[in-house]
Amino acid sequence: NAGVTQTPKFRVLKTGQSMTLLCAQDMNHEYMYWYRQDPGMGLRLIHYSVGEGTTAKGEVPDGYNVSRLKKQNFLLGLESAAPSQTSVYFCASRPDRVNEKLFFGSGTQLSVL
Amino acid sequence: ILNVEQSPQSLHVQEGDSTNFTCSFPSSNFYALHWYRWETAKSPEALFVMTLNGDEKKKGRISATLNTKEGYSYLYIKGSQPEDSATYLCAFYPTSGTYKYIFGTGTRLKVLA
């Protein structure tokens, strides 16, 4: 029972490089979220999805793109990485009932040099 | 702008002490309040999802109360143990239909043996 799986766990990029973070969940959840966690700032929402084929902007979407082509996968892309995107990224998912808890992945630590 | 505040930011307690933290959130447009436990190098795990004013939830030595009219929730830990050391996050879910959770910055608890 994998739950929410994030890959990769760690990555170092140079400024200007691109990469994609993958979030996969095997619980048939409708809602998926990408957050970034920075010291003293808590979890901030980047983008989210309320179902397959849908995406929406969160609190800090600039510099990121997302896709939800399959219900189980939510991809977060950085087209041209910047040092300000150095952070720990968490994916979360939940079922279609709002009283349900969020299930989090184990995080991706990204450093942009 | 919806704001969720947690206090204190951090605290140290001795093993066996009882402690409590506060989560303050907007008293209007309330739908749900979540509490998560976040251990270092792990992902957040749900403790409680609270939806009704006056709600009280309990899980072992940890309990939580909810006051939606005044916009606060308390998390209590009775007889703290070193394994309770973690960051405790609350997340506010409004009725606005945006599907977004607003997280506080957390209370970091260290239980000294």
Side-chain angles (χ1 to χ4, degrees):
Chain A
N1 194 4
V4 180
T5 304
Q6 286 183 236
T7 52
K9 295 193 186 307
F10 303 95
R11 186 73 185 268
V12 178
L13 291 178
K14 293 181 180 178
T15 297
Q17 286 185 316
S18 63
M19 76 163 294
T20 300
L21 283 67
L22 170 63
C23 176
Q25 51 90 8
D26 61 0
M27 298 172 283
N28 202 36
H29 285 174
E30 292 292 334
Y31 294 80
M32 297 187 75
Y33 301 82
W34 274 109
Y35 293 93
R36 59 178 288 173
Q37 192 256 328
D38 302 293
M41 302 198 71
L43 289 168
R44 292 186 294 167
L45 182 64
I46 304 171
H47 286 280
Y48 64 101
S49 168
V50 300
E52 181 179 308
T54 75
T55 63
K57 293 181 180 179
E59 192 184 347
V60 288
D62 294 342
Y64 305 95
N65 56 74
V66 287
S67 65
R68 184 103 180 264
L69 298 179
K70 293 183 179 180
K71 187 177 183 179
Q72 63 267 36
N73 296 337
F74 194 28
L75 280 65
L76 178 71
L78 286 73
E79 289 187 346
S80 180
S84 59
Q85 293 177 304
T86 294
S87 188
V88 182
Y89 293 84
F90 284 95
C91 174
S93 71
R94 73 160 172 87
D96 194 17
R97 299 174 298 281
V98 73
N99 291 349
E100 292 288 336
K101 61 186 178 181
L102 288 168
F103 291 78
F104 283 86
S106 57
T108 296
Q109 191 164 320
L110 175 66
S111 295
V112 183
L113 306 177
Chain B
I1 297 176
L2 300 176
N3 200 32
V4 175
E5 296 185 353
Q6 291 188 247
S7 61
Q9 277 191 320
S10 66
L11 75 162
H12 291 65
V13 300
Q14 293 292 324
E15 183 176 357
D17 286 351
S18 294
T19 187
N20 64 84
F21 332 127
T22 304
C23 173
S24 300
F25 53 85
S27 56
S28 59
N29 298 318
F30 175 87
Y31 195 96
L33 192 283
H34 293 217
W35 280 101
Y36 291 85
R37 182 171 178 274
W38 193 358
E39 291 182 73
T40 303
K42 294 187 177 180
S43 53
E45 290 187 354
L47 288 170
F48 306 115
V49 177
M50 310 179 80
T51 57
L52 299 175
N53 185 44
D55 233 358
E56 291 189 25
K57 302 262 186 180
K58 188 174 181 183
K59 187 176 183 178
R61 293 178 292 97
I62 303 177
S63 60
T65 61
L66 179 68
N67 183 324
T68 61
K69 295 188 186 307
E70 296 183 41
Y72 65 84
S73 176
Y74 294 138
L75 188 79
Y76 300 91
I77 302 179
K78 185 178 178 182
S80 302
Q81 299 296 309
E83 58 265 31
D84 295 328
S85 297
T87 296
Y88 292 84
L89 287 176
C90 66
F92 170 73
Y93 191 87
T95 57
S96 59
T98 62
Y99 313 107
K100 302 177 193 177
Y101 297 82
I102 301 148
F103 282 85
T105 54
T107 292
R108 184 176 295 179
L109 173 67
K110 176 74 174 177
V111 182
L112 306 171

